[in-house]
Amino acid sequence: MLHTFLSDSRSDLIERCKAKVLQRQAPSVTQVQLEYGIPLFLDQLIRTLQAEQGDGQAESLRISGPAGGALSASEIGVTAAQHGKELLTLGFTVNEAVHTYGDLCQAITDLAVESGTPFEVDEFRTLNRCLDNAIADAVTEFSRQRESDISDQHTSDANKRLGYLAHEARNMLGTALLAHTALRSGNLSLQGATSTILERSLHGLAGLIDGALDEIRVLHQQTEAAPVFALDEFISEVHGTAELTARSRGCTLVASPVQAGLAIAGNRALLLAAVANLLQNAFKFSPPHSQVTLLAMAAGERILIEVHDHCGGLPAGAAASMFQPFSQHGKDRSGLGLGLTIAQNAVIASGGTLSVRDVPGTGCVFTVNLPRCSLPG
């Protein structure tokens, strides 16, 4: 009888199935996979055959479900679904979910031929029904879980983009409010530098909104080549925008002169936001009356933009995680903890890198490293 053969050959069949998986160079078989895989299915198949041998049709259907591929709450259906979920978690493909049960069928056939063991037609029908139901439930759950994971990733990406939009909008609005307060309290001219900062911030806020709308319109379309622009003009714009924030924090912002003729390429608005975030981070964690320094220089075929602060240095292990979303290491927990993440993403989008160097007892040096470009003639 088939159930006796399967019981006696259980260990051999499991080893043969494992060998077939490894031959396909699939991910390593683990105990987690085996728990809801072939061993449990073999036990359920044996019990199904035993129930049918004793005329227990109802028990057979409870264990393995009806023929025809209809999904059911049978034992085989539940554990095969769990098996499909585990295969996805372990890095297998949907094909492997099918192959796993096919391996068992092949192993049973090969071993039966080798040992000269005959089986009844009805027993093979039961074997095929159990395999069919297990494959259907495993593949269905595999696909459902994969779609769920993709949906979760899309949601996560959307949340990150929304966080970026909210963070940058708040930064620009904050600068605009500072400029507006300075204009009102100081009775300043609308033709002066503070008015220019207010205008630039409002235009930047409008550009942020327009950019978000444009991104929706051109989603999945190819982007144009990144424009090249002068480094000295870029640093001058960053300095002018950040100086007001520095004063509001009681800090001094010093920007060293930039060598003429140096240039970088990328999304100018994103890079402005990146360096602005680094400066705001520096102002936030440097004590009043301290100096924050902005440097920009050439280093071979690279351009380095550095922000030096006086935060006192980093806690142990902070450098490894500070670019992660919502990561906050200082006492000042205002904000969302997205500034450094946004800065890093913006720099990477322009082909560069963003790193931090700890200066114990003094502060940090954040370095934007970008390809050096030539200004168009």
Side-chain angles (χ1 to χ4, degrees), residues 105-349:
C105 184
Q106 187 65 49
I108 292 173
T109 302
D110 291 345
L111 191 56
V113 171
E114 292 170 12
S115 61
T117 305
F119 302 123
E120 299 292 334
V121 173
D122 287 344
E123 291 178 322
F124 268 108
R125 286 176 179 167
T126 299
L127 169 60
N128 289 331
R129 171 169 61 85
C130 292
L131 287 169
D132 186 37
N133 289 345
I135 290 171
D137 283 290
V139 170
T140 298
E141 178 60 23
F142 184 101
S143 301
R144 188 201 66 78
Q145 187 64 39
R146 184 171 182 274
E147 290 173 1
S148 176
D149 291 348
I150 292 173
S151 176
D152 289 345
Q153 183 60 49
H154 286 171
T155 300
S156 175
D157 291 344
N159 287 339
K160 289 179 182 178
R161 301 178 84 82
L162 183 60
Y164 166 79
L165 183 64
H167 187 278
E168 290 310 301
R170 188 186 66 172
N171 284 346
M172 293 177 184
L173 184 59
T175 302
L177 289 172
L178 283 172
H180 178 262
T181 300
L183 285 169
R184 289 191 61 181
S185 62
N187 194 25
L188 302 176
S189 168
L190 291 178
Q191 306 302 318
T194 303
S195 178
T196 300
I197 293 173
L198 173 60
E199 181 181 13
R200 184 183 297 150
S201 298
L202 292 176
H203 280 300
L205 187 57
L208 186 67
I209 296 171
D210 289 341
L213 294 175
D214 289 341
E215 188 174 359
I216 294 172
R217 296 188 189 102
V218 301
L219 193 62
H220 305 309
Q221 294 182 6
Q222 294 289 332
T223 57
E224 296 181 356
V228 177
F229 48 90
L231 182 62
D232 55 356
E233 295 177 1
F234 175 80
I235 294 299
S236 177
E237 184 173 353
V238 171
H239 181 270
T241 302
E243 194 171 25
L244 194 63
T245 305
R247 290 203 299 266
S248 73
R249 288 279 186 170
C251 296
T252 301
L253 174 60
V254 175
S256 298
V258 179
Q259 177 185 338
L262 298 180
I264 54 177
N267 186 313
R268 186 185 181 104
L270 287 181
L271 288 174
L272 280 169
V275 181
N277 272 312
L278 296 179
L279 288 170
Q280 288 180 359
N281 195 68
F283 301 145
K284 181 178 179 179
F285 294 108
S286 295
H289 312 299
S290 62
Q291 177 176 297
V292 173
T293 305
L294 176 62
L295 302 175
M297 68 203 82
E301 295 303 313
R302 309 293 293 183
I303 294 294
L304 305 181
I305 301 174
E306 296 184 346
V307 173
H308 298 241
D309 65 30
H310 282 80
C311 67
L314 294 175
S321 61
M322 64 192 315
F323 294 109
Q324 296 177 2
F326 308 108
S327 177
Q328 294 179 313
H329 298 281
K331 294 181 179 179
D332 188 341
R333 296 303 178 96
S334 60
L336 299 175
L338 286 170
L340 293 180
T341 305
I342 291 170
Q344 185 182 57
N345 291 340
V347 173
I348 291 174

Side-chain angles (χ1 to χ4, degrees), residues 65-82:
L71 301 182
S72 66
S74 66
E75 284 188 25
I76 280 182
V78 173
T79 54
Q82 182 63 34

